[in-house]
Amino acid sequence: MTQVAPASLQPELVIGLRGLRNQFGSHVVHDNLDLDVRRGEILGVVGGSGTGKSVLLRSIVGLQRPAAGTVTVLGTDVLSASEEERKALEARWGVMFQDGALFSSLTVRENVEVPLRAVPGLDPAVRVALADLKVAMAGLPPLAGDKYPSELSGGMRKRAGLARALALDPEIVFLDEPTAGLDPIGASAFDALILRLSRSMGLTVFLVTHDLDTLHAVCDRVAVLAEKKVLVTGTMREMLDVDHPWVREYFHGPRARAALGAAPIAQD
């Protein structure tokens, strides 16, 4: 008989998607999609081209309104939330888009200050100090705070984007292809940074990626998008037992075997 852990011992669900449908005109990207994300976990979201990984992320943070379904984050219904509820919720998550999505006319420090400026009564000197702290937490040298995005390498721009996502000490961080375009050394360093910040700050991380090394190095669970829904969720080890053509090819291919031999599994 299967034993169920008491409710008090079960991981808290911080993101819940039910019956989600996303479509653009007649093109349906997601249909009847369900997904749960637990507090404190790093969830990697993978799928083939066109499966809507980034669309799913944008649906959760309110940048893409689904045609149907519900999106609940930290106990709030995102789709029906009032403006006040929405602002309060946005202060509890941070988002890092591909390549950082920084404001080109602002320095790194000023970019990180943007969300901090919404905090009522925050002294400007404290705001600057907090921005510098987040820059350091993202692994950037102090001088990086005075530089503009155009003066940074691709890896440094990603770290600056992460610093901005961390500005308000969020409970959830959304990362869209954080290691895309990085060389193997830079990608490995970024993976280590994500894992360290997640564990030290108790962050829940929703991570869209195609990088097998990242999945092996940092993710507690993986959600596979296929056939317009979340086909399966589980640990990396559990993915090896899934009998589905795309999942089998992705997790049993040469690159998957190389990643499995090169990186530790975050959770068995």
Side-chain angles (χ1 to χ4, degrees):
M1 186 174 91
T2 302
Q3 296 205 354
V4 179
S8 60
L9 299 180
Q10 294 178 0
E12 178 188 355
L13 297 182
V14 294
I15 299 173
L17 310 179
R18 294 292 180 270
L20 202 70
R21 180 181 178 89
N22 276 307
Q23 65 183 97
F24 300 92
S26 60
H27 177 56
V28 178
V29 180
H30 303 134
D31 189 24
N32 201 30
L33 181 152
D34 295 341
L35 180 64
D36 288 329
V37 183
R38 307 162 182 162
R39 182 174 292 280
E41 77 171 335
I42 302 177
L43 178 76
V45 178
V46 301
S49 178
T51 54
K53 299 182 292 295
S54 295
V55 172
L56 182 61
L57 186 157
R58 293 199 298 270
S59 297
I60 298 172
V61 300
L63 298 177
Q64 161 69 30
R65 188 169 184 87
T70 60
V71 178
T72 304
V73 181
L74 296 168
T76 297
D77 185 332
V78 174
L79 303 181
S80 65
S82 65
E83 183 176 352
E84 184 178 349
E85 290 172 329
R86 171 87 189 166
K87 287 181 178 179
L89 188 58
E90 288 177 350
R92 300 173 68 186
W93 72 46
V95 185
M96 192 196 98
F97 296 103
Q98 291 189 43
D99 202 36
L102 301 168
F103 296 107
S104 60
S105 61
L106 302 180
T107 66
V108 169
R109 179 184 298 108
E110 290 168 341
N111 265 281
V112 179
E113 284 186 73
V114 169
L116 291 167
R117 290 181 181 276
V119 179
L122 185 62
D123 184 270
V126 175
R127 187 178 66 230
V128 169
L130 287 172
D132 286 339
L133 174 62
K134 303 306 179 182
V135 168
M137 287 173 61
L140 289 169
L143 292 177
D146 295 318
K147 294 185 179 297
Y148 290 90
S150 61
E151 299 176 295
L152 302 177
S153 67
M156 292 180 73
R157 283 196 300 273
K158 287 179 181 291
R159 287 175 183 263
L162 178 61
R164 188 175 62 186
L166 296 172
L168 297 176
D169 292 328
E171 297 171 53
I172 306 172
V173 173
F174 296 90
L175 306 177
D176 193 0
E177 298 283 6
T179 58
L182 298 182
D183 62 79
I185 295 175
S188 179
F190 203 93
D191 288 342
L193 174 64
I194 293 170
L195 185 60
R196 183 169 65 251
L197 289 173
S198 172
R199 300 311 188 229
S200 63
M201 299 176 66
L203 293 173
T204 301
V205 180
F206 184 98
L207 191 159
V208 171
T209 187
H210 67 279
D211 193 329
L212 280 157
D213 290 326
T214 295
L215 293 175
H216 280 286
V218 307
C219 292
D220 299 298
R221 287 194 306 143
V222 179
V224 177
L225 293 185
E227 302 174 8
K228 301 178 183 179
K229 61 184 179 182
V230 174
L231 183 73
V232 62
T233 60
T235 66
M236 288 297 292
R237 292 288 186 193
E238 290 168 339
M239 291 299 108
L240 299 178
D241 297 325
V242 176
D243 186 18
H244 181 275
W246 189 90
V247 178
R248 193 164 53 244
E249 181 179 359
Y250 187 80
F251 289 99
H252 287 268
R255 295 183 66 184
R257 290 196 297 270
L260 180 60
I265 302 292
Q267 176 180 317
D268 225 350

